[in-house]
Amino acid sequence: LNSHGDFLYAHSLCVSMYAAMIGRKMGYESSQIFFKLSMGGLYHDIGKKEISRDILEKARPLLSYEERALIETHPYRGQEILMQIKGIPDDVVQIAYQHHENILGSGYPRGLQKEEIHPLAHIVSTANAFARFAVKSPQHPGMDGPSAIREMDMRMKETLEPKSFTALKNIFGL
């Protein structure tokens, strides 16, 4: 992913690190869980590697319908890529496939309901939302952790799994 720009690589590293930290705050203790959260966070956007950098760097409101539809295929493509790699745990494949699903059932690619979403995917989804605001990218200037959480609270609180979002807030003492 770093061939698509440092921002996507930095975003993935942030998601990986914060997913593990959220998991710890939620009380997970298994090294296998932390491995899956970290790997799932690192590879959650692997399906974007086949999408043009020009499209990935374009602000969401400026995307055409076709470009948005192409971007929204990245969870499915990520699932396909990860399933071809020997040794990738099934949980990591599910994380990559479900990281844009949300508790309202309005996410993609399948519009899954809260209870249908893999528990670790909820955590990576929360870390992904955080990284979207915290990490500097072509679409966003980046911001400190507490400011990113305030943005999440205002814009997307109702779509995030509450336990993982609370755990993220607790990382920053909020």
Side-chain angles (χ1 to χ4, degrees):
L1 288 177
N2 63 348
S3 66
H4 268 48
D6 291 340
F7 77 93
L8 194 53
Y9 187 60
H11 170 84
S12 295
L13 288 173
C14 180
V15 173
S16 177
M17 181 178 70
Y18 275 93
M21 291 168 65
I22 291 167
R24 168 113 23 230
K25 282 290 184 183
M26 290 177 70
Y28 288 106
E29 296 179 356
S30 164
S31 59
Q32 284 191 340
I33 295 292
F34 294 126
F35 174 77
K36 291 172 183 177
L37 285 169
S38 297
M39 183 178 269
L42 191 60
Y43 292 134
H44 76 285
D45 275 344
I46 193 79
K48 288 183 175 179
K49 77 181 199 74
E50 298 169 348
I51 298 173
S52 160
R53 186 175 176 170
D54 293 337
I55 293 173
L56 292 175
E57 291 182 358
K58 196 182 283 190
R60 193 158 177 89
L62 301 178
L63 292 170
S64 69
Y65 175 81
E66 292 79 17
E67 290 168 333
R68 185 172 290 171
L70 178 62
I71 287 175
E72 290 183 1
T73 66
H74 82 271
Y76 175 73
R77 187 62 191 121
Q79 177 189 41
E80 287 182 326
I81 292 167
L82 292 174
M83 286 174 66
Q84 294 174 13
I85 301 172
K86 189 175 183 173
I88 298 285
D90 289 341
D91 293 332
V92 172
V93 175
Q94 287 301 307
I95 289 167
Y97 185 62
Q98 296 178 357
H99 75 277
H100 280 294
E101 300 288 354
N102 65 54
I103 64 170
L104 298 179
S106 60
Y108 65 89
R110 294 187 45 220
L112 298 176
Q113 298 297 310
K114 178 181 178 179
E115 58 280 349
E116 296 175 297
I117 302 169
H118 192 292
L120 300 182
H122 282 300
I123 295 170
V124 170
S125 178
T126 299
N128 184 47
F130 174 76
R132 191 176 114 208
F133 293 110
V135 177
K136 183 180 177 183
S137 73
Q139 296 87 17
H140 198 276
M143 55 181 54
D144 63 72
S147 297
I149 289 171
R150 281 192 292 278
E151 284 294 316
M152 292 169 69
D153 224 355
M154 288 188 321
R155 296 183 188 198
M156 59 191 342
K157 177 181 170 180
E158 66 280 349
T159 65
L160 298 170
E161 193 279 320
K163 291 177 185 171
S164 60
F165 189 39
T166 297
L168 174 65
K169 289 178 180 180
N170 289 338
I171 291 169
F172 291 94
L174 301 174

